[in-house]
């Protein structure tokens, strides 16, 4: 195995801070390139707001769709406190890695490679599980499958030093002399001192979850001594009898409980082997073959999307449409069939919002090829989605629909802009203000409530990125120059550091006749599981974000 690259603060900020699910404009590139000099100025820096010293901050939250009607909340910590989290991990990286290496089950041990998408990556991908399970279970009759209920949101931050130093030792030694306590404190400082849960989004949380998971793995192995695997918080254990599996489940419950966590009963099952290794729909979508003739291709499109829509309803807990669009995005559709294809991907965009980044890649690609996009139809779809999702403050759906409009230079209707005014998502608000400044939102947007977040105290509250970026970009003005009065954000501002770059964009798809045939399984799984599989490029010539 190749030697891993060194973990650096610059790389953590550049590639491991903001979650991949954000629209392309949100970037940490400017902060990352100057982070070494900035971090040297932070020690001893006091943050005083309204005469009070600020010891902690709140994360900026972003709601994204999960499955069916379920959602996940991403948390983007304030940079002042998140920098300290990364620094603590980097300073103790060797110790953390050595502890995680002790796990006999983990497929997600952290790996540092400067050529990969994130600063800290998983050793194995999710798509490898169907290949690994039969190898590990070849001599077994039963499998116990389970996971931890709401893992990240329920991690007890005081269990971080338990994992680093042992529970007994950590409870007796709570001071800053031990890095586990420092990491616990720094994580709590990113979330208003809360001890329950860690932010979903930054790579630091992935490391923490893996650290705790690996310690539980060691205890589970001591209790069971059986073959198994863990992928983040999903467990598979293999047994020769049903009674062994049932007894093991009881012991696993006890181990997980020691770390204030719970097994998810809805996702816990014991079943006999062998079992199908993947859903039928995956094989069928992956192996679907498109024909080159115009007439046959039209029939292929109808059949392909009929299967995709049918399977999406039969398997509501799976990202069927996202998988399907990843399969078809590089298949060259004839101009005579474009109207049908365009309508089908817009249908998919309404049904499963997670496909929107792929839809953008497709639309940009065909626009660049000179196809006639139906901008009126696309605009109606965007307005429909913005109006619907703004009511529920669905930040992911609203921000990505705005990004479709921005990417294609489409104006937002007055009715949609009026609904958009109610959104509480900071990322949607920033994109909306950018579009307003460029004439893509001209009427209907009421920002009177948004102005309430333009104050010094909000630089450390939930809408910190809005409070900073709206002023820094000149989208809005404030009566007080609160950024210049803050020690930390004035430092960022003086170095022209911003967190939004409107020139960044997804790379268009590459449709060609070469992709008519089925694609490989590994590539398809990667396309379905990764929110932002395309490299982000800068239209301004400044290079990529990732």
């Amino acid at each position: 195995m190749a030697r891993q690259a060194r973990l650096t603060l610059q790389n953590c900020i550049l590639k491991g801070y903001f979650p991949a699910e954000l629209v392309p404009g949100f970037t940490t590139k400017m902060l990352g390139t100057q982070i070494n000099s900035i971090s040297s100025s932070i020690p001893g820096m006091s943050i005083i707001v309204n005469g009070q010293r600020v010891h902690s901050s709140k994360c900026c939250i972003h709601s994204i769709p999960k499955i069916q009607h379920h959602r996940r909340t991403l948390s983007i910590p304030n940079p002042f406190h998140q920098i300290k989290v990364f620094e603590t991990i980097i300073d103790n990286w060797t110790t953390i890695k050595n502890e995680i290496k002790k796990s006999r089950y983990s497929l997600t041990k952290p790996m540092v490679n400067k050529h990969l998408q994130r600063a800290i990556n998983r050793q194995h991908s999710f798509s490898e599980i169907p290949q690994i399970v039969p190898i590990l279970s070849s001599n077994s009759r039963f499998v116990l499958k389970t996971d931890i209920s709401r893992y990240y949101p329920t991690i007890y931050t005081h269990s971080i030093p338990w994992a680093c130093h042992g529970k007994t030792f950590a409870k007796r030694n709570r001071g800053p002399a031990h890095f586990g306590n420092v990491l616990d404190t720094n994580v709590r400082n990113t979330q208003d001192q809360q001890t329950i849960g860690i932010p979903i989004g930054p790579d630091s949380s992935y490391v923490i979850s893996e650290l705790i998971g690996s310690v539980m793995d060691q205890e589970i192995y001591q209790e069971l001594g059986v073959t198994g695997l863990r992928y983040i918080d999903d467990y598979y254990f293999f047994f020769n009898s049903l009674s062994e599996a049932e007894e093991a489940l009881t012991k696993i419950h006890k181990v997980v409980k020691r770390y204030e966590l719970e097994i998810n009963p809805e996702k816990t099952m014991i079943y006999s082997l062998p079992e199908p290794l993947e859903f039928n729909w995956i094989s069928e979508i992956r192996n679907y073959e498109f024909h080159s003739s115009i007439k046959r291709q039209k029939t292929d499109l109808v059949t392909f999307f009929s299967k995709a829509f049918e399977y999406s309803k039969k398997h509501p807990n799976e990202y069927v449409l996202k998988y399907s669009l990843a399969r078809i995005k590089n298949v060259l559709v004839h101009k005579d069939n474009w109207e049908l294809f365009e309508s089908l991907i817009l249908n998919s965009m309404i049904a499963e919002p997670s496909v929107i980044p792929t839809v953008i890649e497709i639309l940009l690609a065909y626009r660049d090829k000179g196809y006639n996009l139906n901008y009126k139809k696309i605009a109606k779809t965007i307005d429909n989605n913005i109006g619907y999702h703004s009511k529920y403050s669905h930040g992911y759906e609203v921000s990505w629909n705005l990004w479709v409009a921005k990417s294609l230079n489409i104006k937002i209707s007055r009715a949609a802009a009026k609904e958009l005014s109610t959104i509480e998502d900071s990322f949607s608000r920033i994109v909306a203000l950018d579009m307003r400044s460029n004439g893509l939102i001209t009427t209907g947007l009421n920002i009177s409530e948004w102005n309430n977040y333009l104050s010094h105290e909000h630089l450390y509250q939930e809408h910190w990125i809005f409070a900073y970026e709206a002023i820094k970009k000149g989208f809005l003005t404030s009566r007080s120059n609160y950024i210049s009065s803050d020690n930390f954000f004035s430092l960022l501002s003086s170095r022209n550091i911003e967190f939004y770059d409107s020139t960044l964009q997804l790379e268009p798809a590459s449709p060609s006749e070469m992709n008519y045939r089925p694609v490989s399984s590994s590539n398809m799984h990667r396309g379905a599981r990764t929110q932002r599989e395309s490299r982000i490029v800068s239209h301004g010539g400044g290079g990529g974000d990732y």
Side-chain angles (χ1 to χ4, degrees):
M1 181 180 294
R3 183 179 179 183
Q4 288 196 28
R6 185 170 63 92
L7 184 64
T8 65
L9 180 59
Q10 183 178 68
N11 214 33
C12 285
I13 296 297
L14 283 171
K15 299 169 65 176
Y17 184 1
F18 280 10
E21 291 84 356
L22 298 179
V23 298
F26 291 97
T27 174
T28 53
K29 181 179 179 181
M30 284 176 266
L31 177 61
T33 55
Q34 300 188 58
I35 189 59
N36 292 330
S37 59
I38 289 171
S39 63
S40 64
S41 303
I42 291 178
M45 181 182 287
S46 296
I47 304 300
I48 307 296
V49 177
N50 296 330
Q52 300 291 322
R53 183 171 180 176
V54 173
H55 296 282
S56 64
S57 55
K58 291 183 179 181
C59 292
C60 187
I61 63 173
H62 186 60
S63 175
I64 67 172
K66 194 177 177 184
I67 51 175
Q68 285 188 314
H69 303 295
H70 298 283
R71 302 191 66 79
R72 176 181 286 119
T73 299
L74 299 181
S75 300
I76 297 82
N78 191 288
F80 180 75
H81 292 107
Q82 180 59 27
I83 289 169
K84 298 177 182 179
V85 174
F86 278 132
E87 287 179 327
T88 306
I89 289 175
I90 292 166
D91 290 344
N92 300 279
W93 184 235
T94 300
T95 303
I96 292 172
K97 279 197 306 180
N98 289 339
E99 187 61 44
I100 292 175
K101 282 181 181 178
K102 296 177 184 177
S103 169
R104 295 173 180 260
Y105 297 131
S106 177
L107 295 183
T108 47
K109 293 175 182 176
M111 178 178 65
V112 178
N113 186 322
K114 64 181 180 180
H115 301 296
L116 296 179
Q117 184 183 35
R118 300 293 295 183
I120 307 172
N121 302 272
R122 299 165 188 171
Q123 196 172 64
H124 295 274
S125 68
F126 188 86
S127 64
E128 294 178 67
I129 293 179
Q131 304 159 26
I132 296 173
V133 166
I135 294 173
L136 296 179
S137 64
S138 58
N139 298 315
S140 303
R141 297 177 183 273
F142 292 89
V143 59
L144 163 61
K145 184 179 183 300
T146 188
D147 78 357
I148 298 173
S149 180
R150 301 181 67 247
Y151 187 33
Y152 278 36
T154 60
I155 285 178
Y156 183 46
T157 65
H158 291 336
S159 69
I160 297 173
W162 301 351
C164 293
H165 312 297
K167 191 171 184 178
T168 301
F169 180 90
K171 285 195 169 187
R172 292 176 178 172
N173 299 271
R174 301 177 183 272
H178 306 285
F179 83 90
N181 296 329
V182 177
L183 186 55
D184 172 16
T185 298
N186 289 340
V187 170
R188 284 188 285 112
N189 286 345
T190 66
Q191 48 190 18
D192 200 29
Q193 295 292 329
Q194 294 296 315
T195 59
I196 302 300
I198 58 176
I200 299 176
D203 286 2
S204 53
S205 292
Y206 156 52
V207 172
I208 291 168
S209 72
E210 194 61 28
L211 177 61
I212 295 171
S214 68
V215 174
M216 291 193 295
D217 289 349
Q218 296 171 53
E219 295 185 20
I220 290 172
Y221 184 79
Q222 290 173 2
E223 293 280 349
L224 305 182
V226 298
T227 303
L229 66 86
R230 174 178 59 80
Y231 191 90
I232 303 295
D233 64 330
D234 290 331
Y235 284 96
Y236 296 77
F237 297 103
F238 308 106
F239 304 91
N240 281 318
S241 71
L242 179 62
S243 60
E244 289 176 347
E246 291 174 335
E247 182 181 355
L249 180 58
T250 300
K251 293 179 179 179
I252 294 169
H253 267 289
K254 291 180 180 178
V255 171
V256 171
K257 188 68 176 177
R258 291 172 197 160
Y259 291 86
E260 306 293 334
L261 298 167
E262 295 287 346
I263 290 295
N264 187 344
E266 295 181 0
K267 294 185 178 180
T268 299
M269 61 189 76
I270 300 172
Y271 51 86
S272 59
L273 293 169
E275 274 280 299
L277 299 177
E278 68 178 11
F279 291 116
N280 288 336
W281 69 263
I282 294 178
S283 302
E284 192 165 356
I285 295 297
R286 181 179 64 236
N287 295 321
Y288 193 89
E289 186 169 355
F290 293 90
H291 296 85
S292 58
S293 70
I294 297 174
K295 187 174 181 180
R296 287 291 299 275
Q297 188 188 72
K298 180 172 288 188
T299 302
D300 290 340
L301 287 171
V302 172
T303 304
F304 179 84
F305 276 94
S306 292
K307 291 178 180 293
F309 294 155
E310 178 185 1
Y311 284 131
S312 69
K313 291 183 178 180
K314 287 183 178 179
H315 301 277
N317 293 336
E318 300 293 325
Y319 295 102
V320 176
L321 295 182
K322 185 177 180 182
Y323 188 95
S324 301
L325 261 66
R327 164 68 181 95
I328 200 175
K329 74 172 185 176
N330 290 323
V331 172
L332 181 62
V333 173
H334 292 289
K335 283 189 175 183
D336 289 353
N337 296 330
W338 169 249
E339 182 181 11
L340 172 62
F341 183 47
E342 181 184 51
S343 297
L344 290 168
I345 63 175
L346 292 179
N347 289 156
S348 303
M349 184 171 149
I350 293 175
E352 190 175 304
S354 63
V355 308
I356 298 177
T358 308
V359 170
I360 293 177
E361 295 171 11
I362 293 171
L363 293 175
L364 291 176
Y366 283 93
R367 181 199 64 182
D368 294 346
K369 282 183 173 292
Y371 281 44
N372 293 321
L373 274 61
N374 190 329
Y375 290 99
K376 187 175 181 180
K377 183 184 291 186
I378 297 171
K380 285 185 177 180
T381 303
I382 292 170
D383 286 341
N384 179 307
N385 280 340
I386 291 175
Y388 177 83
H389 290 288
S390 291
K391 296 176 183 178
Y392 304 101
S393 206
H394 290 169
Y396 179 93
E397 290 88 337
V398 174
S399 61
W400 275 103
N401 273 279
L402 287 170
W403 199 261
V404 177
K406 175 179 168 56
S407 302
L408 299 177
N409 205 36
I410 293 173
K411 287 188 175 183
I412 302 299
S413 71
R414 178 183 178 86
K418 185 177 180 180
E419 295 292 347
L420 177 60
S421 304
T422 66
I423 191 75
E424 296 181 0
D425 177 69
S426 288
F427 302 96
S428 299
R429 288 176 173 179
I430 291 171
V431 178
L433 291 175
D434 178 26
M435 294 178 68
R436 188 181 75 155
S437 69
N438 290 311
L440 295 178
I441 298 179
T442 56
T443 60
L445 189 65
N446 184 345
I447 61 170
S448 58
E449 289 293 324
W450 301 9
N451 286 318
N452 293 332
Y453 296 99
L454 303 180
S455 67
H456 192 181
E457 64 182 296
H458 284 290
L459 287 174
Y460 296 93
Q461 297 296 314
E462 182 181 316
H463 297 280
W464 66 264
I465 195 168
F466 179 81
Y468 178 76
E469 208 64 28
I471 298 298
K472 181 63 180 172
K473 276 285 189 295
F475 293 150
L476 299 175
T477 57
S478 173
R479 294 178 181 176
S480 64
N481 195 359
Y482 58 86
I483 291 178
S484 64
S485 65
D486 182 81
N487 288 341
F488 177 68
F489 281 99
S490 64
L491 174 64
L492 301 188
S493 182
S494 67
R495 293 169 179 255
N496 291 318
I497 290 172
E498 300 175 0
F499 297 99
Y500 180 74
D501 182 350
S502 62
T503 67
L504 294 175
Q505 183 56 280
L506 294 175
E507 187 173 88
S510 303
S512 69
E513 294 182 4
M514 294 178 63
N515 291 302
Y516 285 145
R517 295 186 178 278
V519 295
S520 70
S521 172
S522 61
N523 286 340
M524 279 308 305
H525 275 286
R526 191 180 304 119
R529 293 286 174 178
T530 305
Q531 286 281 4
R532 207 151 89 191
E533 61 183 338
S534 297
R535 180 175 62 88
I536 294 178
V537 296
S538 170
H539 285 181
D545 178 32
Y546 275 64

